[in-house]
Structures are given as structure tokens and as C-alpha cells.
């Protein structure tokens, strides 16, 4: 959730917010899906598929393997897939009458931004700070217990390339 906050807002949470559920602090509009789908109808050159179920793996794979395909959504987990190009919906700007712009985020660029040893370190960061599958790392017996995002990043830098969090 903290990774999502960074990707959506370009900021890291205060230490007191570290490891808390993102949605309890920053709820999203219930109409965002309908609005994006409606807006995309104005751009016939943009292919889009509506899914009622989970399609993250397929979307991430399409983004990673096709130069002109991007993962657009409200899910920062896309930042953890290798070679996936993620565009947070919150970064879209459709004020121009002839084009839409947005911020493209990749796992590789985030790893560089955080000065991590490799893009694989982003997976370890997600484990240390929490993610969709590990809600609260403090309740899990990990080989390292991060007190903050900054602490987790420092730990990964110190451990170097190839480090994997173990339980």
C-alpha cells in the first residue's frame, strides 16, 4: 500500500502511516472505472478490455511483451512485474483535446529511484513493507523487520543484489 501511495501520489507516507491500509487513508471514487471506460470510447485507437475478475497477470504480461501496451489502473502491484509499464489512473491528464498524457512507471525505474541494488529488490521491498498478499509484515516472522519504508530501503541497499527476504 505504501508503494501504491508513492506511485499514485509521488510521496512516501509519514512514518506513522507506514504499513497501514492505503484505502482507509485515501479512498478512491466508486465511479472511476465507468469514467475511464467512457473516456476511452473517445479514442478508438486505444484498445481496452473490461474484466469483472482479476486479470492482472495477463495485463502485466501484455504490457511487458508489447511496446505499445500499458497497464492502466489503480493497482501499484503492476510496479512489481518485470518490464511492465504501469500508468496510475491518477496521473492521467485529458485536458488537451487531441491527446492524453500520464506518468509511466516501471519496476526498473523505481529501483533506480530508490537506489536499490536491482529491480528484483522491489519484490523484496514489497514483502518488507506489506502488499496485497502480506497485509502486515509485523505479524509475519521475516528475517528482517522494517520499522519504516526508509528502513526497508536501507536494509536492501546494505544486503545488496541477490538478497531475498526469508520467513
Amino acid at each position: 500500500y505504501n508503494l501504491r501511495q508513492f506511485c499514485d501520489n509521488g510521496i512516501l507516507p509519514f512514518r506513522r502511516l507506514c504499513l497501514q491500509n492505503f484505502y482507509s487513508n485515501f479512498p478512491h471514487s466508486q465511479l472511476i472505472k465507468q469514467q475511464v471506460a467512457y473516456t476511452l470510447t473517445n479514442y478508438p485507437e486505444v484498445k481496452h478490455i473490461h474484466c469483472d475478475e482479476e486479470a492482472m497477470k495477463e495485463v502485466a504480461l501484455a504490457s511487458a511483451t508489447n511496446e505499445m501496451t500499458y497497464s492502466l489502473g489503480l493497482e501499484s502491484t503492476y510496479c512489481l512485474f518485470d518490464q511492465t509499464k504501469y500508468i496510475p489512473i491518477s496521473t492521467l491528464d485529458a485536458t488537451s483535446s487531441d491527446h492524453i498524457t500520464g506518468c509511466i512507471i516501471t519496476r526498473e525505474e523505481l529501483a533506480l529511484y530508490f537506489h536499490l541494488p536491482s529491480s528484483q529488490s522491489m519484490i523484496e521491498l514489497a514483502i518488507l513493507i506489506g502488499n496485497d498478499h502480506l497485509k502486515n509484515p509485523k505479524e509475519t516472522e521475516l528475517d528482517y523487520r522494517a520499522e519504516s519504508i526508509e528502513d526497508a530501503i536501507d536494509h536492501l541497499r546494505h544486503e545488496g543484489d541477490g538478497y531475498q527476504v526469508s520467513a
Side-chain angles (χ1 to χ4, degrees), residues 1 9 33-34 50 54 69 79 87 92 94-95 98 103 114 120 133 153 157-158:
Y1 299 115
N9 303 306
K33 291 179 189 176
Q34 293 88 340
H50 173 78
E54 186 65 54
T69 302
C79 295
I87 303 174
L92 291 180
T95 55
D98 62 347
C103 177
F114 290 127
Q120 182 65 30
H133 306 287
I153 290 170
R157 289 176 188 154
H158 174 75

Side-chain angles (χ1 to χ4, degrees), residues 51-65:
C51 299
D52 289 324
E53 299 294 327
E54 186 65 54
M56 181 176 293
K57 181 180 176 184
E58 290 79 9
V59 171
L61 180 61
S63 172
T65 58

Side-chain angles (χ1 to χ4, degrees), residues 36 39-40 43 45-46 70-73 86-105:
V36 169
T39 301
L40 287 175
Y43 300 89
E45 68 277 8
V46 175
Y70 300 85
S71 301
L72 174 67
Y86 169 57
I87 303 174
I89 287 177
S90 62
T91 69
L92 291 180
D93 180 0
T95 55
S96 171
S97 62
D98 62 347
H99 66 276
I100 297 175
T101 61
C103 177
I104 301 169
I105 300 173

